[in-house]
Amino acid sequence: MNGYPPSLPTFQTERLFIRPPMKGDGDKLYESVQFSKQELVKWLPWVNQMVSSSQAEDAVQFAHQQFLDLTDLRFHLFEKDTLSFAGSVGFHEIKWRVPRLEIGYWLDVRFQGKGYMFEAIQPLLPFAFHQLSVHRLELRCDPFNKKSRALAEKLGFSLEAILKENERATITSGYADTCIYVLFQSTFTQKKSTLS
């Protein structure tokens, strides 16, 4: 991880190093997506569109520029002990005039079921609410994605609505519903002050 620009945010947890996408991440990203494709494609339609490591590298460099432009804020997750690429978390659908963000994430199947995503998001919530002064943070997922729903609730998000048939289904024909979970800055700050 040497040579990382000091001006961009990085985070460390007990097991993870977290940073924005950087040139050269494409190969690791592609390998991780391909290894995890069968599981990820159920929830993430873009997985089928990633067909080469060079395409993944292009996506990485585009994501890096988006981060600099503050139009989309993606972070890559690396296991500290091995430097293995573990997944990604990002703030998307940004509306700075509110300000509102939507959090999205995915994990390599080799890291699933071990608490890595909960660990990864822990430092990103105060970053969103305190450094970025976000008012509303949304987490959207398919109602059948039990892991994602459980994570949202564990993180303190509340189910605000279920949108009916607002998306195309990813692996079957027809339509899919979407759960909208939300966490407000005031709720997050209040919970943190109660715990401290």
Side-chain angles (χ1 to χ4, degrees), residues 6-192:
S7 57
L8 292 176
T10 63
F11 306 94
Q12 292 193 48
T13 65
E14 182 182 350
R15 298 177 293 175
L16 294 169
F17 178 73
I18 303 165
R19 61 157 173 77
M22 296 293 294
K23 182 178 180 180
D25 285 351
D27 285 343
K28 287 185 175 184
L29 170 63
Y30 179 71
E31 191 274 333
S32 181
V33 168
Q34 293 306 304
F35 191 90
S36 308
K37 191 172 187 176
Q38 190 172 351
E39 173 65 23
L40 296 178
V41 75
K42 291 186 284 187
W43 317 117
L44 303 170
W46 60 263
V47 168
N48 273 333
Q49 298 162 13
M50 187 174 287
V51 296
S52 69
S53 58
S54 62
Q55 183 192 33
E57 180 61 27
D58 288 343
V60 163
Q61 294 191 35
F62 181 67
H64 179 79
Q65 188 59 51
Q66 284 184 306
F67 202 106
L68 296 178
D69 296 338
L70 299 178
T71 56
D72 193 90
L73 306 174
R74 189 199 305 175
F75 292 90
H76 285 171
L77 315 178
F78 298 87
E79 188 179 45
K80 277 168 42 173
D81 289 345
T82 64
L83 298 185
S84 298
F85 188 97
S88 180
V89 181
F91 296 122
H92 315 298
E93 303 297 327
I94 298 173
K95 290 188 176 179
W96 290 117
R97 61 185 175 79
V98 177
R100 177 185 71 77
L101 310 178
E102 181 182 323
I103 189 169
Y105 47 81
W106 63 271
L107 267 182
D108 186 305
V109 294
R110 291 166 286 195
F111 294 91
Q112 291 181 14
K114 302 173 184 177
Y116 276 97
M117 191 51 71
F118 181 76
E119 182 178 328
I121 293 175
Q122 291 302 303
L124 297 182
L125 293 180
F127 172 71
F129 288 122
H130 300 150
Q131 272 70 50
L132 302 179
S133 300
V134 169
H135 170 66
R136 174 187 170 95
L137 184 60
E138 293 181 7
L139 188 160
R140 297 184 176 219
C141 65
D142 189 293
F144 294 107
N145 190 340
K146 294 181 180 179
K147 290 181 182 178
S148 211
R149 296 188 72 172
L151 177 62
E153 291 164 10
K154 188 176 180 181
L155 288 165
F157 286 73
S158 298
L159 180 63
E160 182 177 71
I162 299 179
L163 304 183
K164 298 295 185 182
E165 298 185 359
N166 71 308
E167 296 285 357
R168 282 285 183 179
T170 53
I171 54 175
T172 61
S173 60
Y175 300 91
D177 299 344
T178 301
C179 291
I180 301 180
Y181 287 88
V182 65
L183 182 60
F184 290 98
Q185 183 189 57
S186 56
T187 308
F188 177 77
T189 303
Q190 185 177 22
K191 284 183 178 179
K192 284 294 181 186

